[in-house]
Amino acid sequence: MKKIYADVLVLGAGAAGLAAAAKAKEFGAEHVVLLDEKEELGGVLPQCIHPGFGLHYYREDLTGPEFAFRLYEKVRNLGVEVHNQAYAIELIPRKYDEKIVRASSPEGLLDIHAKTVIFATGARERQRHEIGIIGYRPIGVYTAGQAQTMMDLYGMMPGKEIVIVGSGDVGLIMARRFALQGAHVKAVIEILPYPGGLTRNIQQCLIDFGIPLYLSHKVISVNGTKRVEGVIVGKVDEKLNTIPGSEFEIKCDTLIVSAGLLPRVELLMRAGAFMDPATKSAVVNEYLETTIPGVFLAGNALVINDLVDYAAEQGEAAATSAIKFIQEGGFPSCVQKSVVKGRNVRLIVPQLITGENDVFFYGRVSQPEEDVYLKVPEVGMKLRMLRVKPPEMLRFKIRKKQFENLEEDKITISVEPRSEG
Amino acid sequence: MGEEKEETLKFTCIVCPIGCELIVKKVGAKIIDIKGYKCPKGKEYAIQEVTNPQRILMTVVKVKGGSLPTVSVKTAKPIPKAKLLEAVKYLSKLELKPPIKIGDVIVDDIVGTGVPIVATRNVNGE
Ligand SMILES: Cc1cc2nc3c(=O)[nH]c(=O)nc-3n(C[C@H](O)[C@H](O)[C@H](O)COP(=O)(O)OP(=O)(O)OC[C@H]3O[C@@H](n4cnc5c(N)ncnc54)[C@H](O)[C@@H]3O)c2cc1C
Ligand code: SF4
């Protein structure tokens, strides 16, 4: 067993983790250790070869690998201690300023004694069984990320006749990738009555290539025993139940499942962090600190981000908090107020605030709506928004000054039609 | 030849994530009205899209004996939409040797568009 000491230990070297490690080092932390299970750093970025990354963070339109390369160069030049192919298997909180993270690595087991830990472990993809698709388990069913890795890292085509489940941006981008590589994308199937991705991706990924989008439809089962031969698709009603008699078959040799991401926070859950069923991750305060002191969250592990820029921004914020934690010997225990979800707000982070800092909030609505106010009555905030959609993250700031007159022990965030006030 | 008909085209601006709904009216090849854009870039895009639609292309090219079997590439600028598939076909026949550096020009002029293809990741030798 090898023992390592760290002031700041960052788990996961995707956009959030790389940005966190660089920031911690820039702020003068001596021992910054970065751990990732993979050989190549960058998380999902190296496999996302399309442009659309870094418009805010670098004010340039980069591809995923280019974005990762820039962050990685910074981390390397700053002298962060990087361990790749090292998989964190356990988090053991010892004292408020000592946590042990155990990892399995090519050098054997590592025990990293860290003052602070930043979880930037990203998210995993939902699998076909998690969205209720039945049938045999033939070859030819992949998640979007698996297909992307095969095509864009290893240069292999998963199949020729493709059906994609899920119209989020990842599914749409994969539809275009397949079409460009000469595959026949027969359909994108979406269970909800509206597309999950950005309108510009409907245009440049589907309409550009004449790919049909079936809204209010679901894939019920997979046909084929050895290789996928087709899928059975049905129309659904408002309650998302299949309408009997609406079923039909689409012949294909490959089914791509792009049904959303789940934060990878099992270690935190097992270590006893308080969880939020809406984000499916741990509850955090405005320092992005979980209920385990000195353990922070950033990137897709905290909340599923549609923009890499937000993931990197959260990484930097978590690093800034970690440095503050070390310098001040932990955060003074203060009264925390809760952030309550009001009308048409499905999730929000942070879930707790002290009211003593400027706070960036990230959230998602449940339903698309036009011409609305984003309201936080307790601090007298009212922001007009032309439209809100579940795939587009809400991001807004409440300033410290606005909290000054806050008397309640909570704030409520809601989205309300403008006509109703 | 008869009178040229007025035609209305609707599409989404892809320049930024806001995704404005653009409405272009034209008679023959002549644009007579553009609506729906929220910034000048959108207007430019609308004109481009109805006269000569262009896209950035991204794909991968095979690499022999490298740390990875492919290198990701993109066109340095958008190329005509009609040339996308031809360009992918051309690139799928290439095989490169490492080392390749980010920004290296892989093809000077892809399928007669005058636009170079550049690498978007590093690939070292094995
Ligand atoms: C297909 C696709 C297309 C996208 N397109 C765009 C786009 O066009 N524009 C844009 O701005 N954003 C886009 N995004 C979103 C953006 O890429 C992500 O939000 C961002 O990269 C997430 O970064 P992250 O660091 O949070 O997570 P990740 O990149 O997932 O990194 C997490 C890392 O942690 C490692 N890890 C996890 N658990 C452990 C463990 N126990 N031990 C060690 N290591 C571990 C993982 O291996 C991984 O390397 C896209 C995402 C996807 C999937
Ligand atoms: S018109 Fe301007 S604001 Fe609207 S989507 Fe295009 S670039 Fe964005």
Side-chain angles (χ1 to χ4, degrees):
Chain A
M1 173 109 47
K2 194 175 159 189
K3 238 182 181 184
I4 298 175
Y5 291 91
D7 295 311
V8 181
L9 166 63
V10 182
L11 299 180
L18 287 168
K23 195 76 185 178
K25 203 71 200 179
E26 277 175 352
F27 275 168
E30 212 167 314
H31 297 288
V32 179
V33 177
L34 176 62
L35 209 79
D36 199 285
E37 66 180 308
K38 291 194 208 153
E39 192 180 345
E40 194 172 351
L41 303 187
V44 299
L45 292 170
Q47 71 191 52
C48 294
I49 64 163
H50 58 280
F53 294 84
L55 283 165
H56 303 273
Y57 195 75
Y58 288 118
R59 300 192 181 281
E60 256 184 81
D61 193 0
L62 303 172
T63 63
E66 289 169 315
F67 190 97
F69 180 71
R70 287 208 187 176
L71 276 179
Y72 177 58
E73 283 289 281
K74 199 164 164 195
V75 160
R76 214 185 47 178
N77 294 336
L78 285 165
V80 171
E81 178 179 334
V82 178
H83 293 264
N84 57 356
Q85 298 186 61
Y87 190 79
I89 46 180
E90 204 179 352
L91 167 69
I92 310 157
R94 266 282 201 58
K95 291 187 281 201
Y96 85 96
D97 65 346
E98 187 187 10
K99 284 99 327 241
I100 301 174
V101 169
R102 189 157 290 166
S104 143
S105 87
E107 312 156 65
L109 276 188
L110 301 178
D111 258 6
I112 307 159
H113 295 247
K115 285 187 185 150
T116 59
V117 181
I118 298 174
F119 270 79
T121 41
R124 70 167 181 86
E125 298 177 278
R126 290 213 291 166
Q127 308 285 318
R128 79 172 245 199
H129 59 264
E130 292 172 277
I131 55 167
I133 299 176
I134 55 173
Y136 292 101
R137 318 204 115 248
I139 297 169
V141 182
Y142 305 100
T143 65
Q146 286 166 341
Q148 200 176 38
T149 306
M150 285 167 83
M151 291 166 83
D152 293 340
L153 285 180
Y154 298 108
M156 298 185 295
M157 275 302 270
K160 291 198 185 78
E161 307 231 291
I162 319 291
V163 170
I164 296 178
V165 186
S167 66
D169 288 317
V170 177
L172 300 177
I173 283 163
M174 285 315 289
R176 172 176 65 182
R177 269 305 282 148
F178 274 109
L180 274 173
Q181 269 346 97
H184 181 189
V185 183
K186 299 186 103 174
V188 173
I189 314 285
E190 171 60 58
I191 192 163
L192 296 175
Y194 49 86
L198 299 175
T199 324
R200 75 200 278 241
N201 283 334
I202 302 286
Q203 179 76 38
Q204 62 185 350
C205 299
L206 300 188
I207 299 174
D208 268 14
F209 296 94
I211 299 168
L213 170 62
Y214 292 79
L215 296 173
S216 296
H217 277 74
K218 71 184 257 193
V219 171
I220 300 163
S221 64
V222 179
N223 286 349
T225 47
K226 290 207 172 68
R227 174 89 205 185
V228 173
E229 287 165 14
V231 291
I232 302 293
V233 175
K235 203 170 164 29
V236 297
D237 59 22
E238 306 88 75
K239 294 202 177 108
L240 308 184
N241 294 320
T242 312
I243 299 171
S246 70
E247 302 89 349
F248 59 96
E249 183 179 16
I250 302 178
K251 292 268 177 211
C252 62
D253 61 20
T254 305
L255 177 68
I256 301 296
V257 179
S258 172
L261 300 167
L262 295 171
R264 291 178 65 179
V265 288
E266 301 84 356
L267 266 57
L268 272 175
M269 194 155 54
R270 272 191 269 140
F274 201 72
M275 306 298 286
D276 177 353
T279 57
K280 301 195 168 58
S281 180
V283 167
V284 294
N285 58 25
E286 73 235 45
Y287 297 105
L288 303 185
E289 185 188 30
T290 64
T291 51
I292 307 173
V295 176
F296 303 85
L297 264 172
N300 281 0
L302 166 68
V303 62
I304 305 304
N305 288 284
D306 24 71
L307 289 178
V308 70
D309 311 83
Y310 298 165
E313 170 181 282
Q314 293 152 6
E316 292 186 346
T320 310
S321 302
I323 299 298
K324 191 174 156 76
F325 184 94
I326 295 169
Q327 284 169 351
E328 298 177 9
F331 297 124
S333 55
C334 39
V335 184
Q336 300 199 343
K337 301 172 191 269
S338 48
V339 180
V340 179
K341 291 173 296 209
R343 184 188 175 279
N344 199 13
V345 173
R346 188 165 68 80
L347 59 87
I348 196 98
V349 290
Q351 295 89 344
L352 296 168
I353 51 164
T354 61
E356 288 161 17
N357 297 289
D358 290 355
V359 182
F360 267 118
F361 290 89
Y362 304 88
R364 276 187 204 282
V365 295
S366 328
Q367 298 289 333
E369 264 187 318
E370 294 200 353
D371 202 12
V372 290
Y373 280 130
L374 177 82
K375 285 191 183 169
V376 190
E378 294 87 348
V379 298
M381 196 175 101
K382 198 162 143 182
L383 272 179
R384 183 159 173 212
M385 309 190 74
L386 288 178
R387 61 180 184 197
V388 290
K389 290 178 176 182
E392 289 168 25
M393 202 163 195
L394 302 170
R395 174 176 168 275
F396 58 95
K397 188 174 179 177
I398 303 183
R399 292 180 191 281
K400 182 179 172 182
K401 212 165 160 285
Q402 291 171 277
F403 290 122
E404 267 168 17
N405 300 323
L406 175 61
E407 279 161 14
E408 291 89 335
D409 55 2
K410 62 164 177 57
I411 60 168
T412 316
I413 300 186
S414 65
V415 170
E416 284 167 38
R418 210 156 69 90
S419 49
E420 286 168 31
Chain B
M1 281 229 298
E3 280 276 287
E4 294 210 68
K5 261 202 328 224
E6 187 178 301
E7 204 185 342
T8 306
L9 303 167
K10 283 188 191 167
F11 49 90
T12 306
C13 178
I14 62 170
V15 178
C16 90
I18 293 179
C20 295
E21 191 67 26
L22 304 174
I23 304 166
V24 179
K25 281 204 178 116
K26 59 175 204 160
V27 178
K30 195 165 175 272
I31 297 173
I32 53 169
D33 187 31
I34 307 175
K35 278 205 187 79
Y37 56 88
K38 285 204 188 77
C39 78
K41 277 192 174 170
K43 185 172 178 185
E44 243 170 73
Y45 172 77
I47 298 170
Q48 179 84 58
E49 187 67 10
V50 285
T51 49
N52 177 19
Q54 302 205 329
R55 296 287 185 270
I56 295 253
L57 170 69
M58 57 282 154
T59 182
V60 292
V61 175
K62 282 189 220 93
V63 177
K64 204 168 182 177
S67 52
L68 274 173
T70 66
V71 59
S72 52
V73 300
K74 67 176 181 189
T75 51
K77 283 191 308 188
I79 61 169
K81 210 163 122 182
K83 294 267 188 181
L84 286 178
L85 289 175
E86 192 187 337
V88 172
K89 218 170 226 164
Y90 178 86
L91 291 170
S92 71
K93 295 199 185 96
L94 297 184
E95 197 170 83
L96 307 172
K97 284 205 195 76
I100 301 162
K101 289 248 160 305
I102 240 176
D104 278 2
V105 173
I106 306 292
V107 179
D108 292 321
D109 171 5
I110 186 73
V111 296
T113 56
V115 175
I117 296 281
V118 295
T120 57
R121 78 174 158 239
N122 289 343
V123 181
N124 305 321
E126 256 167 332

